[in-house]
Amino acid sequence: MIRLTLSQRLSVVFFGLLLVCCAALAWIQMRSTQQHELETVQRLSQGLAEHIARSGELMDTRGMREGNVRALFGKLMAVNPSVEVYLLDDRGRILGHDAPDGHLKRDRVDLAPIQALLRGDPLPILGDDPRSITARKIFNAAPLWVQGRQAGYIYVVLLGEQRDALAANIAANAGLRTALWSLAIVTLIGLLAGAVALRWVTHPLRRLTRRIQSFDVNADNPPPPMPTTPLRPGERDELAILQHSFGQMSERIGEQWQQLRQQDLQRRELVANISHDLRTPLSSLHGYLETLSLKDASLSTDERQRYLSIALSQSRKVGQLAQALFELARLEHGGVVLELQAFSLPDLVQDVFQKLELSAQARRQTLSADIPPGLPAVEADLGLIERVLTNLLDNAIRHTPEGGHINVTLRAADNEVQVSVQDSGPGIAPERRANLFITPQALGSQRADSGGLGLLIVHRILQLHHRQIELLDSREGALFVFSLATAAGRSGGRRSGG
């Protein structure tokens, strides 16, 4: 099967429609010309039948005078071979004619067209052709009177059998030549007009096609997106709308491609960071276990206990890192469903303080909370918000020097409770803030360009709550701020303030 391009299909359709229209126009023109010719001939011959009726005694009281009829009809047809004259009785039966033997196909003519002609109805009027079973032709007719009584009709077919034969013979060659020339001219005009029209119509489409073909997001340097000029109000041009839509789509695809490339780079760095952060504790764990295995007989009880303690510590680090990775994966891939409930945020802060109190005391740090009275309850996932506070405080404890302090502040405003966690540590450099909550930048807490897995998990948990965490400027240490919706605010109840 031949596959045509859009331009070729449009050309074929256009050429076909042009031929059909030309054929229809030619038929209408020929039909109109034929009707005009018939009406003209019939008008010019209006008095012919009446003249024949008065020119000789064709009938008497005894009937048709056959000799007179044949003589008169023969002379008329010799003078004008295109006419055929017939004598009809008052019922339309053919009484006399001068047709050759075997040419007469009817013995009766319908009188209704004759009566319409005599009444003066609009021309042309077609009547029965006695020399054909089905044909109808223009005619002229007049009543034939005998001694004051209508005895029949003179019926004259104006375009007779000889005229049809001669016209068909002449038209055979002329018609063929005309048809061939017409077809050639129409074909040439159609091809030229179609080529010009299609080139003009499809120019924007070809330009858009080239732009689409050149757009390759897999290239190292993909082409710039097509400019998206604003559409005019009420724009109805399909190609303009298509070009505008493709421009928007190319911009979006370009942005998504850059995001995918960035995510791929981040994924590779994530794998490298996982390897780096697991290698150190695993190597230490393997080394101490190997030492215990090889030197078990020569080690004292204190040495054996110290090696076991170090190995357990490194094992806990690996376990904590694996648990954090698993939790982050669940948060990233939609494996967590929020269980919203109303709870007291001050009580949760105190519970987290108790959990981290020993770690803070070991570094001689102070944990404090600034909580106003009458703080409204918040509605969120209690377990996940506990993990948010735990990660923020644990991160603050690890990055605050000994003797420092960490403060949690709660404030209520506009159906929200704002939570601030600030430490007295060295803070975070401005150049590190852009990557602080980007997942693959770093995992371990000792990395310099990110906040580690703890802040990543915090960021994702708050995203699930449709909230954001921010690092604000502070004169001392790092200040992290986020907010949660109050239970009354989420349900459309009263507004709370503090």
Side-chain angles (χ1 to χ4, degrees), residues 224-422:
M226 179 179 291
T228 54
T229 54
L231 290 176
R232 294 176 297 178
E235 178 63 68
R236 301 179 63 183
D237 184 1
E238 292 83 356
L239 289 178
I241 296 174
L242 180 61
Q243 181 172 335
H244 177 76
S245 300
F246 175 74
Q248 290 182 323
M249 182 188 69
S250 64
E251 288 182 357
R252 182 58 178 158
I253 291 177
E255 294 173 359
Q256 291 178 338
W257 177 247
Q258 294 299 331
Q259 292 175 0
L260 288 175
R261 293 187 65 185
Q262 184 65 25
Q263 290 175 1
D264 183 63
L265 293 176
Q266 293 172 353
R267 180 187 58 80
R268 296 180 184 181
E269 189 171 354
L270 175 63
V271 175
N273 290 333
I274 292 174
S275 302
H276 177 275
D277 292 323
L278 288 176
R279 183 170 58 248
T280 301
L282 285 176
S283 298
S284 177
L285 175 62
H286 178 77
Y288 281 102
L289 290 177
E290 188 175 32
T291 300
L292 286 172
S293 176
L294 296 176
K295 299 181 179 181
D296 181 65
S298 60
L299 292 176
S300 64
T301 303
D302 292 340
E303 289 176 329
R304 186 181 297 108
Q305 189 63 35
R306 184 171 66 87
Y307 288 171
L308 285 174
S309 176
I310 295 174
L312 288 173
S313 175
Q314 298 300 321
S315 176
R316 281 193 293 269
K317 288 183 179 180
V318 173
Q320 291 172 357
L321 183 58
Q323 179 61 31
L325 287 171
F326 175 73
E327 186 173 356
L328 181 61
R330 291 178 63 242
L331 292 170
E332 291 285 348
H333 298 287
V336 176
V337 179
L338 296 181
E339 297 181 1
L340 300 179
Q341 58 179 307
F343 60 90
S344 172
L345 198 54
D347 292 345
L348 180 61
V349 171
Q350 294 300 326
D351 292 341
V352 175
F353 274 10
Q354 292 178 5
K355 183 168 57 175
L356 298 175
E357 186 176 4
L358 293 179
S359 298
Q361 289 178 355
R363 300 173 63 89
R364 297 192 300 278
Q365 296 169 345
T366 303
L367 297 177
S368 62
D370 181 4
I371 302 175
L375 200 67
V378 297
E379 186 173 11
D381 190 302
L382 176 61
L384 293 179
I385 299 303
E386 180 183 6
R387 184 58 189 269
V388 168
L389 292 173
T390 300
N391 286 2
L392 290 175
L393 290 174
D394 180 69
N395 192 64
I397 290 172
R398 288 187 287 104
H399 290 84
T400 300
E402 292 189 3
H405 64 272
I406 296 133
N407 183 65
V408 176
T409 303
L410 303 182
R411 291 289 184 268
D414 296 333
N415 293 328
E416 293 182 346
V417 175
Q418 187 182 76
V419 182
S420 303
V421 178
Q422 184 171 17

Side-chain angles (χ1 to χ4, degrees), residues 111-126:
L111 295 180
I114 297 176
Q115 294 169 357
L117 179 69
L118 296 177
R119 285 196 306 267
D121 289 358
L123 303 180
I125 300 174
L126 302 182

